[in-house]
Amino acid sequence: ARQFFVGGNFKMNGSISSIKEIVSNLNNAVLDAEVEVVVSPPAIYLQLVRESIRSGIEVAAQNVYDKPNGAFTGEISVSQLKDSNINWAILGHSERRTILKESDQVVASKTKYATENGVSVIWCCGESLEEREAGKTVEVVTKQLEALKAQVSDWSKIVIAYEPIWAIGTGKVATTEQAQEVHKAVREWLKSVSDKVAEDTRILYGGSVSEKNCGELSKQPDIDGFLVGGASLKPAFVDIINCRK
Ligand code: 13P
């Protein structure tokens, strides 16, 4: 069975004091021991979180580069993450795809490099409102997946996050039916890699997940967890981690 997974993507939010508060809240909470939890603070706070968070919670960078080291101003390497005991990275978030202009190929290359060098990846995909309204959701997500498949061969270190862009930060969560439909299509597509990858790969939902809507979403057969933005900065994040209790 796939282990339920909840990620917290802080995005470019927080300060030393607010992040210490989030960590202390998580450290003092009773968390469902069956859920894998990964939090992703801004790069400058990765070590602060790594050194202060309880054991059992992993830490993710929000980006990582696909070269070992060298003249790449502003980038962080996979070996630097591992040196700091950061074993995860979020890659291909829609904000990086749209605002920072990362292509499907760049995201796939970074995912390949990270996973081949020991850093697990929360790989994000999802359609815009315009694409959904044109009936192109599955086509768009499949194209993103195809670009990943063209470069990646080991899927064991990849967790997929389906995040419809129109649901991110808008308060407009996908309905359970809308989310399950895409998750099911992604799992069907994963069979083109192998039946085992389709069975084993966690598919998270992201986009306006809250303590109110997580319960219903978590009951869908192909929803294996969440990637939480805004609510991961609040005490309600604990309720989302515990949504199946
Ligand atoms: P919100 O939960 O704030 O909508 O953000 C979702 C997201 O983008 C997580 O990566």
Side-chain angles (χ1 to χ4, degrees), residues 177-216:
E177 294 76 18
Q178 284 173 325
Q180 167 58 23
E181 186 185 18
V182 180
H183 283 233
K184 187 165 182 246
V186 170
R187 198 168 312 284
E188 243 352 273
W189 180 90
L190 284 170
K191 289 184 183 162
S192 75
V193 179
S194 78
D195 285 351
K196 181 166 168 51
V197 166
E199 186 54 37
D200 292 351
T201 303
R202 269 88 58 90
I203 308 174
L204 318 179
Y205 169 78
S208 296
V209 173
S210 72
E211 70 282 13
K212 296 194 180 73
N213 58 37
C214 58
E216 275 307 305

Side-chain angles (χ1 to χ4, degrees), residues 7-11 90 93-95 122 124 161 163-165 167-172 205-210 226-232:
N9 176 9
F10 297 178
K11 310 193 180 185
I90 297 174
H93 192 280
S94 64
E95 287 144 21
I122 302 170
C124 308
E163 301 204 306
I165 296 170
I168 295 177
T170 57
K172 262 181 71 174
Y205 169 78
S208 296
V209 173
S210 72
F226 302 114
L227 186 56
V228 183
S232 70

